[in-house]
Amino acid sequence: MASSTEGTRRGRGTARSATADEAEEANAGPDALDLSGLNAVVGYALRRAQLAVFEDFIARFATLDLTPAQYSVLLVIGNNPGRKQAEIAAALGIQRPNFVNMLDELERRGLAERLPSATDRRSHALVLTKSGSALLARARAMQDEQERELAQKLGPGGREMLVALLQRLM
């Protein structure tokens, strides 16, 4: 769920909700906009689906003060302790300056730390702190619940099929 253009955490949920509400209003009733030229476009459908999933994610994770990108970073660090920050940034498609800023914030919050690399003095190995591991466990449970709800919306086998199809585009 990482994004190289991840914005600030505060205030986005409200803006996105207003945008989603406005879009629904514009596409309902006798004065509905004609979106027939877009509704069958893969990129448009992907973007609208991403916005819906991210809006739900942001609302769910507000209590943890985590963005989708921060969650992705914590998850990858947790699954790959000791890896270089450049490796994790590249794997998630996050630009290095954005990744450094995000990591600074995660360190400030006591969730992750940079340790000297055992193999390269010019780089840092990333690990989660105890607080980071505990927060990640809570976040994973919330993510699991979101995935269950998405699977229910998509019907039997739909979630797996959707993920498989999307991976073919990556």
Side-chain angles (χ1 to χ4, degrees):
M1 302 203 111
S3 169
S4 61
T5 58
E6 187 68 34
T8 60
R9 284 185 306 282
R10 289 162 183 71
R12 285 185 89 177
T14 303
R16 284 204 174 150
S17 294
T19 302
D21 291 343
E22 290 168 5
E24 282 182 33
E25 287 176 21
N27 295 320
D31 294 329
L33 294 173
D34 179 1
L35 298 179
S36 60
L38 289 174
N39 285 334
V41 175
V42 171
Y44 180 76
L46 282 172
R47 180 67 175 148
R48 293 304 301 254
Q50 183 218 12
L51 288 173
V53 171
F54 270 42
E55 184 177 306
D56 180 60
F57 181 101
I58 289 166
R60 287 173 191 267
F61 282 66
T63 59
L64 302 180
D65 194 23
L66 279 181
T67 65
Q70 289 171 333
Y71 172 73
S72 296
V73 168
L74 290 175
L75 185 64
V76 173
I77 293 171
N79 288 339
N80 302 278
R83 297 297 290 262
K84 297 177 186 175
Q85 64 185 50
E87 291 177 292
I88 293 174
L92 293 173
I94 301 174
Q95 295 175 2
R96 289 181 73 152
N98 295 347
F99 188 80
V100 169
N101 289 337
M102 186 185 315
L103 202 52
D104 287 346
E105 174 66 11
L106 294 174
E107 275 192 312
R108 184 194 66 72
R109 292 177 58 191
L111 302 174
E113 53 185 337
R114 297 171 175 108
L115 301 175
S117 172
T119 59
D120 183 357
R121 291 190 301 169
R122 298 169 295 160
S123 62
H124 295 98
L126 303 180
V127 296
L128 296 181
T129 62
K130 286 184 181 182
S131 295
S133 293
L135 184 70
L136 179 59
R138 289 178 52 207
R140 280 183 167 173
M142 294 170 94
Q143 179 67 47
D144 288 346
E145 178 63 27
Q146 185 185 37
E147 291 294 315
R148 279 191 294 278
E149 289 178 18
L150 289 169
Q152 188 174 27
K153 284 182 181 181
L154 295 170
R159 183 194 164 283
E160 292 76 15
M161 183 184 306
L162 177 60
V163 170
L165 290 170
L166 291 172
Q167 287 176 344
R168 291 170 67 178
L169 297 176
M170 298 191 302

